[in-house]
Amino acid sequence: MSSQEENIKIRTSGVTVHYGAAQALHGIDLDIRANEVTALIGPSGCGKSTFLRCINRMNDVIEDCHFGGKIEIDGEDIYSGEIDVVELRARVGMVFQKPNPFPKSIYDNVAYGPRIHGLASSKDELDHMVETSLRRAGLWQEVHDRLHTSGSGLSGGQQQRLCIARTIAVDPNVVLMDEPCSALDPIATAIIEELIEELRSQYTIVIVTHSMQQAARVSQRTAYFHLGHLVEHGDTDRIFTNPANKQTEAYISGKIG
Amino acid sequence: MTLNFLVICLISLGVYSFLFGRYRIRKVTQQVSVKQHSRDVYHATFLAACATIVPLIVLIVWSSLSPLVLNGLLEVQLQNMVGAATVGEMGVLIAQTKAFSAGLLNPAFVSDDVKQAASYYESLQAASDTGRALLVLAIGLVGLAFGSRFLTVRFTARHWVERLATWLMIGASVIAILTTIGIVLSLVFETIRFFDSVSVTEFLFGLHWSPQIAIRADQAGSSGSFGAIPLFAGTLMITLIAMVVAVPVGLMSAIYLSEYATPRLRNIAKPTIEVLAGIPTVVYGFFAALVLAPLLRDGGSDIGLTVSSESALAAGLVMGTMIIPFISSLSDDVINAVPQNLRDGAAALGATRSETIIQVVLPAALPGIVSAVLLAISRAIGETMIVVMAAGVAANLTANPFESVTTVTVQIVMLLVGDQEFDSAKTLAAFALGLLLFIITLGLNILALYVVNKYREQYD
């Protein structure tokens, strides 16, 4: 038990979110372990994306969105007054549902984060960061000879890997993924899933997905959300073979959702 | 038959054809058990189009050509009656005849020849009107009869109406294009006439503008000078001052409105700024002339500057204010059109709001912003009223914004107000100025398009 305690990267307790008068999350308590992939599953509108966006405070910009409860990353309360949101987001990267490369060159897309955070002191160092990030995202082979062409000229799957490269270029320790494959074809999806598996050794990954097969394939832990409640969470193998909750079982077996 | 009555007849024919087509297709369908291809309304529209479009074209062509033919016939008739006459005399006679037949002249002052010619002209006109009416209505009826033979159950009237709609739209675009070409051509031809009396080099490179031409040979100061440089320098300076005011203010207010302001504030502030665009320019003009220009003059003298009471600065500042809403409103729209997921992407990397705006949003919105600025520049170059009132009409060649200058558009107005001889260099200079202005704005637009295409950052 104590070894697991040490391994906990993100600890959320009593997380509630209101959009105006509507409550989207009802007291979520979830511990997310380091160097694991945690999948958040559940039907549309269950609050899994909202929960994900709480972890890097992306909900801050939404008007009328109110957060309650506590989220700690490495024991530090990220909603306390001392936290610099800009720095938090450099530590907690995010990949979105729809690939959203900036309308800039591939190089500038990846270099954007290091540049705004002043991570590279020389052009060579920046070049190196860009190359490393693209290599990690498995995109280097495909784009190394056209780094200065526009990122929006890539295919959907390549764009999504470019977004992953852009995210890891600022060296975060948590990567949040909000349905990263929902706009991609099965082949591109398989490539991204392999990539997630490789990235797991260095990052803590939280992924929202609508595909139960994907959750089963890529994650070690799974959390099932329903109507703003965290219904059940645990090892992925157990959730998918022997769910404790009837709702979870119904969703996983395709009876609801 | 008068034109009005004929048009009413044609419209009635169209309405009748529509109703008849609907009646006809319903009746045809009742007799068979096949499913009708197109709805009744398409058959009716098809028939109405058959009965009206060709007659309408004939009507327009006849009406625009008949005055020419009638004039020619009248001229021949007058020549037969009065014998040889100079072009000028003949022109007077034709004008008299027409005026008399229209009842504008007192019969006591008109010669018998003209009275005779007038009755001849009237008979010609009557014949032309009758011929026109008969031809138009006959073609309409033939079209109706011809079209109604098509109205069968499987007739694809829906597609024919679709084709008709396409051609209507093509026609509309062609009208717009032809009008543009016509205006440019008229500028070109008058400009060529202008360059018969003034050399091209003097116009393009001359440093002195003083378009006073003597009306009589014995008048003092008979030869004018037509160097356009001072006018274009003045235009350039005032436009530059206006853009220095309008671009930063307009762009920053657009950024504030789209990125920072709450929706409620935005809903109030945006229309308020747009009110600026609704103020007539003449109001801006007297504001500039009566409030701002004296203020600048007095303020200037307080700090030891000589500011003329009509200055380029006053006109430029007010013009800049006038075009703020063009830039802010259009830029606001294009900034809003930048996808939210780009902003989210930057925010998720830890970019601050202003970093996101400057490095991600603005580059993506650049083409739209440039076209907003271009539109504003065109407005500034074309603006006349403010300059007349606030910057004066003196064609000074100066780089000092505190002096009075004048612009191309103001000089075009000055050239054309009052009594004019249409063939004097002074009048024709207006066309040359207009053409040059047109070429310059066109060049600016092409340059900007090129710049935008080269540097644009395209999303999706």
Side-chain angles (χ1 to χ4, degrees):
Chain A
M1 192 68 198
S2 67
S3 71
Q4 278 191 359
E5 282 284 322
E6 283 162 26
N7 219 6
I8 284 171
K9 181 79 183 173
I10 305 167
R11 165 166 283 160
T12 77
S13 39
V15 170
T16 61
V17 170
H18 290 83
Y19 291 116
Q23 187 163 10
L25 288 177
H26 302 265
I28 307 297
D29 302 305
L30 181 65
D31 291 343
I32 294 165
R33 296 193 203 148
N35 301 111
E36 279 190 354
V37 179
T38 303
L40 310 181
I41 60 171
S44 296
C46 68
K48 55 194 189 304
S49 287
T50 300
F51 178 72
L52 190 74
R53 290 166 66 94
C54 287
I55 302 173
N56 67 346
R57 293 185 60 172
M58 280 298 280
N59 287 331
D60 286 15
V61 292
I62 298 175
E63 249 180 283
D64 280 346
C65 180
H66 300 288
F67 175 87
K70 197 172 179 187
I71 297 181
E72 289 171 322
I73 298 180
D74 296 328
E76 190 183 12
D77 180 1
I78 63 166
Y79 279 85
S80 82
E82 290 122 53
I83 280 287
D84 180 353
V85 178
V86 166
E87 278 179 15
L88 169 73
R89 290 185 189 146
R91 272 164 43 208
V92 184
M94 187 165 195
V95 177
F96 295 84
Q97 185 171 1
K98 198 177 156 223
N100 58 347
F102 300 133
K104 300 176 183 295
S105 72
I106 293 168
Y107 183 94
D108 287 336
N109 260 285
V110 183
Y112 183 78
R115 275 186 183 138
I116 59 173
H117 294 294
L119 299 182
S121 54
S122 68
K123 175 88 173 79
D124 285 346
E125 202 180 338
L126 189 62
D127 287 349
H128 181 69
M129 281 179 158
V130 169
E131 182 179 338
T132 315
S133 307
L134 285 169
R135 277 188 194 283
R136 273 195 205 161
L139 196 58
W140 178 256
Q141 286 304 323
E142 290 157 62
V143 301
H144 66 93
D145 53 351
R146 48 169 173 158
L147 287 178
H148 295 283
T149 58
S150 172
S152 37
L154 298 173
S155 75
Q158 289 173 325
Q159 287 189 10
Q160 195 61 299
R161 277 181 283 153
L162 177 61
C163 292
I164 293 173
R166 182 177 75 183
T167 304
I168 57 185
V170 290
D171 200 22
N173 35 50
V174 178
V175 177
L176 310 175
M177 296 186 171
D178 189 357
E179 299 181 43
C181 302
S182 65
L184 304 182
D185 66 46
I187 294 168
T189 302
I191 296 173
I192 303 268
E193 285 179 4
E194 270 173 47
L195 178 59
I196 292 172
E197 177 59 27
E198 282 165 30
L199 294 174
R200 177 161 78 90
S201 59
Q202 282 154 320
Y203 308 96
T204 303
I205 296 174
V206 186
I207 179 170
V208 166
T209 178
H210 267 132
S211 154
M212 258 122 14
Q213 293 89 330
Q214 183 170 61
R217 282 194 300 262
V218 302
S219 72
Q220 285 72 52
R221 309 268 295 170
T222 296
Y224 172 65
F225 283 69
H226 189 74
L227 295 177
H229 295 276
L230 176 58
V231 176
E232 186 174 359
H233 63 103
D235 288 342
T236 300
D237 292 343
R238 184 190 62 75
I239 294 270
F240 277 89
T241 52
N242 187 20
N245 188 291
K246 281 219 161 72
Q247 272 184 331
T248 316
E249 189 181 358
Y251 181 72
I252 286 169
S253 59
K255 282 184 191 135
I256 59 165
Chain B
M1 200 185 279
T2 64
L3 186 61
N4 290 345
F5 188 61
L6 183 57
V7 169
I8 290 170
C9 285
L10 201 54
I11 292 172
S12 314
L13 183 65
V15 172
Y16 171 76
S17 309
F18 187 88
L19 297 174
F20 175 71
R22 202 168 58 177
Y23 162 77
R24 171 83 188 251
I25 187 64
R26 279 179 185 165
K27 206 174 157 194
V28 168
T29 307
Q30 273 170 5
Q31 290 162 357
V32 291
S33 57
V34 186
K35 186 179 178 296
Q36 198 174 319
H37 175 276
S38 307
R39 286 190 290 133
D40 296 347
V41 64
Y42 288 115
H43 288 273
T45 311
F46 173 78
L47 196 59
C50 282
T52 49
I53 288 184
V54 180
L56 194 65
I57 293 170
V58 171
L59 177 62
I60 291 170
V61 171
W62 186 299
S63 304
S64 41
L65 291 186
S66 75
L68 294 177
V69 177
L70 292 192
N71 258 9
L73 290 174
L74 179 61
E75 193 172 334
V76 172
Q77 174 73 6
L78 279 167
Q79 237 152 16
N80 290 341
M81 281 161 39
V82 299
T86 65
V87 177
E89 286 167 350
M90 189 50 79
V92 171
L93 280 175
I94 289 175
Q96 270 189 345
T97 309
K98 284 186 178 174
F100 180 69
S101 78
L104 299 174
L105 291 183
N106 187 332
F109 301 114
V110 178
S111 71
D112 286 344
D113 282 348
V114 169
K115 282 178 190 163
Q116 264 184 23
S119 67
Y120 171 70
Y121 182 69
E122 278 161 30
S123 70
L124 278 182
Q125 252 182 341
S128 161
D129 284 356
T130 314
R132 182 177 65 185
L134 288 177
L135 185 65
V136 166
L137 292 179
I139 293 176
L141 289 171
V142 169
L144 174 61
F146 180 74
S148 60
R149 291 178 50 191
F150 283 89
L151 301 193
T152 56
V153 182
R154 295 303 299 162
F155 176 58
T156 56
R158 197 176 174 190
H159 298 311
W160 282 98
V161 172
E162 191 65 27
R163 263 165 242 169
L164 183 71
T166 313
W167 281 103
L168 269 178
M169 284 169 225
I170 292 173
S173 330
V174 167
I175 289 174
I177 292 167
L178 287 184
T179 316
T180 314
I181 293 175
I183 291 174
V184 172
L185 283 184
S186 84
L187 281 179
V188 168
F189 287 126
E190 300 301 331
T191 304
I192 291 170
R193 281 179 65 197
F194 171 71
F195 286 134
D196 286 344
S197 45
V198 176
S199 78
V200 180
T201 39
E202 188 201 331
F203 179 70
L204 289 182
F205 305 110
L207 299 181
H208 189 61
W209 176 264
S210 157
Q212 295 316 316
I213 289 218
I215 295 170
R216 300 183 308 278
D218 57 343
Q219 223 169 6
S222 56
S223 73
S225 54
F226 291 92
I229 292 278
L231 309 188
F232 283 93
T235 302
L236 189 70
M237 181 156 73
I238 291 184
T239 305
L240 211 65
I241 296 172
M243 298 322 286
V244 165
V245 175
V247 172
V249 177
L251 200 53
M252 284 194 253
S253 70
I255 292 171
Y256 174 75
L257 283 181
S258 57
E259 300 288 323
Y260 292 91
T262 60
R264 198 197 295 170
L265 179 64
R266 189 182 132 86
N267 287 343
I268 299 170
K270 201 177 176 196
T272 312
I273 293 175
E274 280 165 0
V275 165
L276 276 180
I279 299 175
T281 58
V282 67
V283 175
Y284 279 108
F286 66 69
F287 172 75
L290 301 180
V291 181
L292 190 66
L295 213 66
L296 286 175
R297 184 193 56 207
D298 299 345
S301 68
D302 285 347
I303 58 170
L305 284 172
T306 319
V307 181
S308 154
S309 51
E310 287 180 324
S311 65
L313 189 62
L317 290 179
V318 172
M319 198 189 281
T321 315
M322 180 191 80
I323 54 185
I324 285 172
F326 285 87
I327 294 181
S328 84
S329 193
L330 290 172
S331 308
D332 178 46
D333 290 342
V334 296
I335 290 173
N336 266 321
V338 173
Q340 180 62 30
N341 65 22
L342 292 183
R343 296 184 183 88
D344 287 349
L349 287 172
T352 62
R353 209 178 239 190
S354 69
E355 283 167 349
T356 306
I357 291 165
I358 294 170
Q359 293 158 4
V360 175
V361 177
L362 287 186
L366 185 71
I369 292 172
V370 170
S371 45
V373 171
L374 267 185
L375 187 71
I377 290 181
S378 316
R379 272 298 298 242
I381 289 179
E383 176 49 41
T384 313
M385 220 54 204
I386 294 174
V387 187
V388 173
M389 294 201 206
V393 294
N396 290 327
L397 182 56
T398 173
N400 180 355
F402 303 127
E403 276 186 47
S404 104
V405 297
T406 191
T407 65
V408 178
T409 52
V410 168
Q411 285 311 309
I412 291 177
V413 172
M414 300 322 272
L415 291 170
L416 295 183
V417 289
D419 290 339
Q420 295 299 327
E421 294 175 272
F422 202 73
D423 52 354
S424 84
K426 185 180 168 187
T427 311
L428 291 172
F431 288 96
L433 286 178
L435 183 66
L436 193 53
L437 197 58
F438 171 73
I439 290 170
I440 288 175
T441 17
L442 190 69
L444 271 180
N445 281 337
I446 292 170
L447 182 76
L449 272 182
Y450 171 76
V451 170
V452 165
N453 278 330
K454 188 155 184 196
Y455 295 103
R456 78 183 309 177
E457 295 190 337
Q458 197 165 11
Y459 51 86
D460 287 340

